[in-house]
Amino acid sequence: MKLATVEYEKTQQTALVTGSGEQLLLLERAHHDVTGKPAPELETMQTIIEGGPAAREILDRLADEQPASAIVDAGDVRWMSPLPQPVQIRDFGCFMDHFRNARARIQGVALEDVELPKIQLERPLYYIANRLAVTGHESDVVWPEYSSLRDYELEFACVLGRGGTDISRADASAHIFGYTIFNDFSARDTQLEEISTGLGLSKSKDFSNANVLGPWIVTADEVGDPYQLEMTARINGDEVSRGTSADMDHRFEDVISFASTSTRLYPGEVFCSGTVPSGCGLEHGRFLEPGDVVELRGRRPRGIEESSSGVSGEVMVLGVGATPFGRHADTSASELAGRAAIDAVEDAGLTRGDVGAVFYATVSQKAIDRQHMIPGQIALRPYGFGGVPVVNVENACAGGATALWLAIAHVRSGLSEVALAVGVDKLVCSDPARSLEVFDGALDVAHRDETLAGLASLRSGAG
């Protein structure tokens, strides 16, 4: 169920969004037309949330009946924030790779050299956002005169349906009413100045319409698993960010439990995830200009519900990135491998929901020395493969070893049908003898026969 707050005929209305958002059912009008009675519990999103199961029962009835007299076109309304004045907004830092990416760019160091404070890894830290500087879908944001470095942040948020104090992690999900998209507009030049004082964030996040929620709240039962969402950002129609909620290091269960420690939480509070990796200009260098249109989306991949690719079984993806050189000199080998993996998926007509495993290979000696110490998911998280098993093949130059690793995974995964998609970015193999050496040295003796059988199967299947 998707619930919105809109302005229709100069009045604020709660609405049930139908289909993909082309039409809305005005809830108070629908209730009156069905029952002949007013419905104060449907007056605002806050009263719906506080109404609990009783309000949900009314919503379910209206969703079934949907009187035509209460249906309006989306083009005839002005979208507001689903919660025009939330009880509270807390913005957490749940994605560690966002901070790694940002620090690497700000400090001018390699991503693998970034070290985050231990407390940040252990606790879902947050700041309190201005709950009165909130707006909704299709709103204009007037940028403050004191800033010239304009940035967006791709986030999503949960809305509390129940309050409480000292909520356990095990019970936390039962306190979630639903989820929405959050854009935390940020004045980056001002933010860097404020951070240097050690006092935290101030005017870099606090200006009119800086906090955008919506266009609607999707109830928790309809979202299902909130950690399987593809998150994207577009500027003027061009995709600039892609990530996944699967990459949350601190999940909403963690943040609810943490925030409620010795503190009472209330229905209608908004808990924001923090920026999805690659989800802001500070990470990739594309900042906003006056007149830009920013579009954020969070949706379940098709593969979660159904796959339209026609591929039988799950898909193994191999992304290969060579030692950066030439036009790639400022790009890490693992980044090239990530891009190649994405290319492989798209070239095969797949979605990330189709992918059962990802392998990435690099030729960078530094990567070979260090990547084995870093979980593979970290290197490929910015490319939307969070939650998918990821293996680092280490040396792309050793083509035989790459194929061997694929074969081992094929045999041990127990998958009877496996498709293979391969993407290669500037692969250079200057030492075939070394490839054979690595191939022989990596051979798993205990599984030699089945590994070779798996390799033969993959070769024939891949054509």
Side-chain angles (χ1 to χ4, degrees):
M1 184 173 290
K2 292 176 283 200
L3 300 170
T5 299
V6 299
E7 183 183 274
Y8 180 72
E9 295 182 345
K10 299 182 180 181
T11 62
Q12 179 178 307
Q13 305 267 351
T14 56
L16 173 69
V17 181
T18 63
S20 299
E22 296 86 359
Q23 292 186 317
L24 302 96
L25 180 72
L26 302 179
L27 292 173
E28 287 188 282
R29 179 182 294 185
H31 187 272
H32 183 272
D33 292 351
V34 169
T35 68
K37 299 177 182 179
E41 57 269 73
L42 303 181
E43 184 177 354
T44 68
M45 191 67 70
Q46 186 66 32
T47 58
I48 290 174
I49 294 171
E50 293 176 350
R56 179 56 190 261
E57 185 176 341
I58 296 173
L59 291 174
D60 288 336
R61 178 183 178 185
L62 297 180
D64 289 338
E65 300 199 21
Q66 293 197 20
S69 56
I71 295 178
V72 299
D73 292 333
D76 295 332
V77 307
R78 181 178 71 86
W79 296 92
M80 303 176 66
S81 166
L83 282 161
Q85 289 190 358
V87 172
Q88 184 66 278
I89 302 177
R90 290 177 167 89
D91 198 2
F92 294 80
C94 294
F95 296 90
M96 295 303 102
D97 280 346
H98 159 64
F99 295 104
R100 293 186 180 100
N101 294 339
R103 286 194 176 211
R105 180 169 285 270
I106 293 172
Q107 298 171 0
V109 299
L111 184 63
E112 56 264 31
D113 292 331
V114 174
E115 293 187 13
L116 299 179
K118 183 178 179 182
I119 188 174
Q120 191 173 15
L121 302 176
E122 295 175 345
R123 303 179 196 175
L125 304 177
Y126 63 90
Y127 72 93
I128 302 294
N130 185 349
R131 70 183 187 89
L132 302 179
V134 173
T135 192
H137 179 52
E138 297 183 340
S139 294
D140 291 332
V141 176
V142 178
W143 206 258
E145 293 183 355
Y146 53 78
S147 168
S148 60
L149 201 57
R150 313 165 188 88
D151 207 356
Y152 69 95
E153 291 194 357
L154 172 60
E155 307 188 24
F156 81 120
C158 75
V159 178
L160 298 190
R162 294 167 47 195
T165 305
D166 296 323
I167 301 168
S168 71
R169 190 185 189 282
D171 295 335
S173 61
H175 289 254
I176 297 175
F177 174 79
Y179 301 89
T180 191
I181 296 296
F182 178 58
N183 191 347
D184 172 28
F185 281 110
S186 302
R188 291 299 186 201
D189 42 2
T190 305
Q191 181 179 2
L192 293 175
E193 294 171 346
E194 292 171 348
I195 289 175
S196 68
T197 70
L199 294 177
L201 304 178
S202 180
K203 294 301 291 180
S204 60
K205 303 277 189 176
D206 185 12
F207 50 92
S208 296
N209 290 355
N211 302 309
V212 184
L213 293 168
W216 46 66
I217 295 172
V218 184
T219 53
D221 60 303
E222 181 164 328
V223 170
D225 184 355
Y227 309 114
Q228 290 290 335
L229 302 181
E230 286 187 350
M231 308 291 296
T232 59
R234 298 177 185 274
I235 299 177
N236 304 327
D238 296 327
E239 183 175 305
V240 292
S241 301
R242 177 174 289 273
T244 170
S245 60
D247 289 344
M248 290 180 73
D249 297 278
H250 302 302
R251 298 195 164 189
F252 285 124
E253 292 82 359
D254 301 310
V255 304
I256 291 172
S257 179
F258 178 73
S260 70
T261 304
S262 301
T263 301
R264 176 163 294 280
L265 305 182
Y266 294 88
E269 290 198 39
V270 178
F271 281 18
C272 307
S273 67
T275 309
V276 175
S278 86
C280 67
L282 182 61
E283 293 181 64
H284 55 66
R286 173 44 166 111
F287 292 97
L288 301 176
E289 299 295 335
D292 280 348
V293 176
V294 181
E295 177 187 6
L296 308 184
R297 288 190 176 186
R299 59 177 56 182
R300 291 188 293 178
R302 282 183 298 161
I304 291 179
E305 299 173 302
E306 61 178 354
S307 172
S308 60
S309 66
V311 175
S312 177
E314 295 194 359
V315 180
M316 291 183 176
V317 176
L318 171 62
V320 179
T323 305
F325 66 96
R327 66 186 178 89
H328 292 310
D330 296 327
T331 307
S332 69
S334 58
E335 181 177 348
L336 293 178
R339 292 179 185 174
I342 287 180
D343 289 342
V345 171
E346 294 178 348
D347 289 346
L350 307 171
T351 70
R352 286 161 182 75
D354 298 314
V355 177
V358 179
F359 302 79
Y360 76 99
T362 60
V363 186
S364 164
Q365 186 60 50
K366 187 173 184 180
I368 295 171
D369 294 340
R370 299 200 51 171
Q371 290 287 1
H372 70 280
M373 297 186 293
I374 305 173
Q377 284 83 354
I378 291 179
L380 291 195
R381 274 180 176 175
Y383 309 99
F385 294 110
V388 177
V390 176
V391 177
N392 178 19
V393 185
E394 290 191 348
N395 193 346
C397 195
T402 297
L404 174 67
W405 272 100
L406 285 167
I408 291 173
H410 170 72
V411 171
R412 294 181 179 173
S413 67
L415 298 175
S416 59
E417 297 179 271
V418 178
L420 173 63
V422 180
V424 179
D425 191 324
K426 294 288 185 182
L427 176 60
V428 177
C429 187
S430 59
D431 190 355
R434 174 59 178 158
S435 295
L436 293 175
E437 179 183 339
V438 173
F439 180 89
D440 290 336
L443 196 61
D444 188 328
V445 176
H447 296 83
R448 185 184 186 97
D449 293 339
E450 55 189 353
T451 294
L452 292 177
L455 179 59
S457 174
L458 277 176
R459 281 175 173 166
S460 62

